[in-house]
Amino acid sequence: MRAAVMHQAGDVRVETVPDPRIVSPTDAIVRSVRACICGSDLHPYRSLPASDPGRPMGHELIGVVEELGAEVTALSVGDLVVVPFAYSDNTCPACRDGFQAACHHGGFYGSNGVGGLQAELARIPQAAGTLVAVPGVDPATADDTLLKSLLTLSDVYLTGYHAAFMGGVTAGSTVAVVGDGAVGLSAVLAARRMGAEQIILMGRHAERTDLGVAWGATDVVPERGDEGVARVLELTGGLGAQVVLEAVGLMPAYVQSYSIARTGGTISRVGVPQYSDAPVGGTSLFRRNLTLTGGVAPVRAYLEDAIQDVLNGEIDPGKVFDRTIGIEDTPAGYAAMDAREALKVMIEF
Amino acid sequence: MRAAVMHQAGDVRVETVPDPRIVSPTDAIVRSVRACICGSDLHPYRSLPASDPGRPMGHELIGVVEELGAEVTALSVGDLVVVPFAYSDNTCPACRDGFQAACHHGGFYGSNGVGGLQAELARIPQAAGTLVAVPGVDPATADDTLLKSLLTLSDVYLTGYHAAFMGGVTAGSTVAVVGDGAVGLSAVLAARRMGAEQIILMGRHAERTDLGVAWGATDVVPERGDEGVARVLELTGGLGAQVVLEAVGLMPAYVQSYSIARTGGTISRVGVPQYSDAPVGGTSLFRRNLTLTGGVAPVRAYLEDAIQDVLNGEIDPGKVFDRTIGIEDTPAGYAAMDAREALKVMIEF
């Protein structure tokens, strides 16, 4: 089969690799229908040291079950499934607590002998706990809009949703979203679904913030740094936002987040932190009782409900995809996202 | 009047200073009945650079209203009042949100022309918003045990309570308390009141942890570092504590806290951080979706209810006081707490 492999920063290649096979009776093999490129894939695209044989890429996928291990009884060959970006048994204590991305028996694609999902076929470990079937949808005849929205449930939309969920967004909340990437925009959509009254989107790319406004952002703040802080305070009666959803992962976004948070408010992070230490002392978090929450999204926890929301037409998160390519064009897809020519690139098989 | 002044690290003196007077119509003058020395007073006691005329000390007090500014109509001369460690108008947005220690018109004792509370008399700004009267108690005849418990509502008990409140301790919670100082022990008492099922107290001083056990700690872990982490994991089925209450404020306690927290759990800090940056990245907080919360306790928010709990005999937080002195012996009180010869020192007037 054909699969994307990153050999070093800036060097993604599509290669012919062996088809994956059932290794454990809890595995499934899924034939890809749609995959995509994640903002988090750009971190290694900008920094990965050279390695041989390289890193299998991709962690977002919808596809059709092609083969099932003997212990996977709840799924059927031919099911259209959403593949969460982390696999999990959905039964361990972390899973039962709703944190499936930290499953005691789970893991991530592209490591530990598990391939990436920017590939024609994928082996999914812990398939019974991981995969969720989409009832009544035949990918061969399904509407492209529907498939796009289902694909976002693999990561991007539900990562934005996780930010809002952990941030405790509720009816009437004043929310600020830091970052106008696909996750930030998804966080806007999720916050609006949860009833936020004011949603301030901090971002500078009009073609992106326009989608944010369509999804419910009430204000757009293109300014950054002190000017951005001043603008958010002005928009919130001098108080700041009750909930700040941080969808970037870089230190300036972290500083921006606590600077615009209201006393007693919450910063919920889903941008993968590209730093290990950060301000948490008196002048940043402690004096104002700011709460710092969020983390790697347990997509699996939210998946059944979100599939229904998509099938019912209540959300349309697939609008984050503004470019569609074939698997052979994956390197160009990375380059387009890296250059911000594309918001999010979908791979059609 | 006589008042404690710190001139530099290790140098506390009791001096004759002018009696405080009403400066603003929102002030009150309170005559001290009981004050005390706080664990947080030990930070400057160990680090304050020399200064002239020194820093007025103390922020915990119960006393009798001696004089009221013209605008303070809800209190009466002669009322026994609890003085929260921060003054606040109790009407600004931060106060209305329940974060009175960040009041827009509030502040702290011993700065900005407001004296300390280790003194015979005190000027309390924003008195109507700050002070809460204790009904039906005459300090001249009241039981010493009652006065001690009322005094803890000025800071120490309600700071421990704030840790548990912000940590979301609820019926059945598994809680770990880092620190066996007076705040940590108070956090044990508060967590038990909120229904925690397991309360692991991390501390090495038997005379302190004994009080923790009396207040509801189910386990005591004297080990620190990796050994302490291993012991807490062992006591929690390998999972860690759902809520960690951090009552120290030093970096080793912070690291201990995230190391013993369960995936998806919460670290609630009330120990004043003696650091500005700390680990918050993938390996500390983010991967396991740990929430970091807490901050300066809004004692005022909890005061009415806590006074009732003390009057009803439902809590006995005054047991943290293991030494009573007069105002002239305040320097020796600091030295005793610094040397850990005393857990918490009360000043009787």
Side-chain angles (χ1 to χ4, degrees):
Chain A
M1 70 163 182
R2 301 288 283 168
V5 178
M6 190 181 291
H7 287 266
Q8 68 179 68
D11 181 8
V12 174
R13 305 177 201 167
V14 177
E15 300 176 349
T16 299
V17 302
D19 284 3
R21 296 188 310 174
I22 298 285
V23 174
S24 151
T26 55
D27 288 349
I29 303 296
V30 170
R31 179 164 295 277
S32 301
V33 171
R34 296 283 191 282
C36 56
I37 302 171
C38 183
S40 69
D41 291 332
L42 298 181
H43 295 310
Y45 191 74
R46 292 163 182 165
S47 65
L48 189 73
S51 70
D52 185 47
R55 181 191 292 186
M57 295 301 296
H59 53 260
E60 296 162 283
L61 182 68
I62 58 173
V64 173
V65 174
E66 181 143 307
E67 190 182 352
L68 290 168
E71 293 179 17
V72 189
T73 55
L75 293 163
S76 303
V77 170
D79 280 351
L80 175 67
V81 290
V82 179
V83 184
F85 71 82
Y87 54 86
S88 56
D89 65 12
N90 215 25
T91 59
C92 80
C95 287
R96 289 200 307 269
D97 284 348
F99 295 96
Q100 284 89 339
C103 173
H104 298 192
H105 309 107
F108 299 93
Y109 301 100
S111 62
N112 297 319
V114 180
L117 302 187
Q118 290 161 2
E120 292 177 305
L121 290 163
R123 176 169 77 90
I124 312 299
Q126 304 289 357
T130 303
L131 300 174
V132 178
V134 182
V137 175
D138 176 355
T141 58
D143 186 69
D144 185 62
T145 304
L146 174 64
L147 294 178
K148 278 177 170 155
S149 284
L150 290 171
L151 176 59
T152 67
L153 307 186
S154 180
D155 182 346
V156 57
Y157 172 65
L158 289 180
T159 291
Y161 180 94
H162 182 61
F165 179 84
M166 292 294 283
V169 174
T170 186
S173 293
T174 297
V175 174
V177 176
V178 178
D180 61 2
V183 172
L185 299 176
S186 296
V188 169
L189 178 58
R192 174 47 54 98
R193 288 271 300 165
M194 294 176 190
E197 185 172 311
Q198 185 178 24
I199 303 175
I200 301 165
L201 174 59
M202 304 196 77
R204 301 191 292 182
H205 306 86
E207 73 284 7
R208 300 179 177 200
T209 57
D210 285 352
L211 179 54
V213 170
W215 276 349
T218 52
D219 305 276
V220 172
V221 172
E223 295 89 352
R224 293 183 176 187
D226 291 346
E227 281 180 59
V229 172
R231 188 81 188 99
V232 173
L233 291 178
E234 188 184 318
L235 286 166
T236 55
L239 299 176
Q242 293 168 321
V243 186
V244 180
L245 308 180
E246 194 279 277
V248 178
L250 300 173
M251 185 52 69
Y254 180 93
V255 173
Q256 189 89 358
S257 294
Y258 70 69
S259 304
I260 61 175
R262 177 172 177 147
T263 292
T266 299
I267 300 157
S268 183
R269 294 182 298 165
V270 289
V272 181
Q274 302 303 302
Y275 49 83
S276 53
D277 286 26
V280 300
T283 54
S284 51
L285 305 186
F286 192 82
R287 272 190 212 154
R288 294 189 295 128
N289 272 276
L290 299 186
T291 293
L292 180 66
T293 191
V296 181
V299 159
R300 181 62 185 81
Y302 312 126
L303 199 45
E304 282 95 340
D305 287 351
I307 288 172
Q308 283 307 318
D309 287 347
V310 166
L311 293 178
N312 295 342
E314 291 177 30
I315 51 172
D316 53 358
K319 286 185 175 166
V320 292
F321 293 111
D322 57 352
R323 187 169 300 190
T324 301
I325 60 174
I327 182 73
E328 299 303 327
D329 293 324
T330 303
Y334 274 79
M337 280 179 60
D338 183 49
R340 291 184 179 273
E341 293 164 13
L343 172 56
K344 193 165 175 76
V345 172
M346 183 169 76
I347 303 168
E348 185 173 351
F349 292 88
Chain B
M1 68 162 183
R2 301 287 283 169
V5 178
M6 189 180 292
H7 288 266
Q8 67 178 68
D11 182 7
V12 175
R13 303 176 203 167
V14 178
E15 301 176 349
T16 299
V17 302
D19 283 4
R21 296 187 308 173
I22 297 284
V23 175
S24 152
T26 54
D27 287 349
I29 303 296
V30 171
R31 181 165 293 277
S32 300
V33 172
R34 297 281 192 282
C36 55
I37 303 172
C38 184
S40 69
D41 291 332
L42 298 180
H43 294 312
Y45 191 73
R46 292 164 181 163
S47 65
L48 190 73
S51 70
D52 187 46
R55 183 191 292 186
M57 295 301 295
H59 54 261
E60 298 162 283
L61 183 67
I62 59 172
V64 173
V65 174
E66 183 146 303
E67 188 182 353
L68 290 168
E71 294 179 18
V72 188
T73 54
L75 294 162
S76 302
V77 169
D79 280 351
L80 175 67
V81 291
V82 178
V83 185
F85 72 81
Y87 54 87
S88 56
D89 64 14
N90 214 24
T91 59
C92 81
C95 287
R96 288 201 306 271
D97 284 349
F99 295 96
Q100 285 89 340
C103 173
H104 298 192
H105 308 108
F108 299 93
Y109 301 99
S111 62
N112 297 321
V114 181
L117 302 186
Q118 290 161 4
E120 292 177 307
L121 290 163
R123 177 170 75 90
I124 312 298
Q126 303 290 356
T130 303
L131 300 174
V132 178
V134 182
V137 176
D138 176 356
T141 58
D143 185 68
D144 185 60
T145 304
L146 175 64
L147 295 178
K148 279 178 170 154
S149 284
L150 289 171
L151 176 58
T152 68
L153 308 185
S154 182
D155 182 346
V156 57
Y157 173 66
L158 289 180
T159 291
Y161 181 93
H162 181 61
F165 179 84
M166 292 293 282
V169 174
T170 186
S173 293
T174 296
V175 174
V177 176
V178 178
D180 61 3
V183 173
L185 299 176
S186 296
V188 169
L189 179 58
R192 174 46 56 98
R193 289 270 302 166
M194 295 177 190
E197 185 172 311
Q198 185 177 24
I199 303 175
I200 302 165
L201 174 59
M202 304 195 78
R204 299 190 294 181
H205 306 87
E207 73 285 6
R208 300 180 176 198
T209 56
D210 285 352
L211 179 54
V213 169
W215 276 349
T218 52
D219 306 275
V220 172
V221 172
E223 295 89 350
R224 293 184 176 188
D226 291 347
E227 281 180 56
V229 172
R231 188 82 187 98
V232 174
L233 291 178
E234 189 183 319
L235 287 166
T236 55
L239 299 175
Q242 292 167 322
V243 186
V244 180
L245 309 179
E246 195 279 277
V248 178
L250 300 173
M251 184 52 67
Y254 180 94
V255 173
Q256 190 89 358
S257 295
Y258 70 69
S259 303
I260 62 176
R262 178 171 174 148
T263 293
T266 298
I267 301 158
S268 183
R269 294 182 299 167
V270 290
V272 181
Q274 302 302 302
Y275 49 82
S276 54
D277 287 25
V280 300
T283 54
S284 51
L285 305 186
F286 191 83
R287 272 190 212 155
R288 293 189 297 128
N289 272 277
L290 299 186
T291 293
L292 180 67
T293 189
V296 181
V299 159
R300 181 62 185 82
Y302 312 127
L303 199 44
E304 282 95 341
D305 287 350
I307 288 173
Q308 283 307 319
D309 288 347
V310 165
L311 292 178
N312 296 342
E314 292 177 30
I315 51 173
D316 54 356
K319 287 185 174 166
V320 291
F321 294 111
D322 57 353
R323 187 169 300 191
T324 300
I325 61 174
I327 181 73
E328 300 302 328
D329 293 324
T330 302
Y334 274 80
M337 280 180 59
D338 183 51
R340 292 184 177 274
E341 293 164 14
L343 172 57
K344 194 166 175 75
V345 172
M346 185 169 75
I347 302 168
E348 185 173 351
F349 293 87

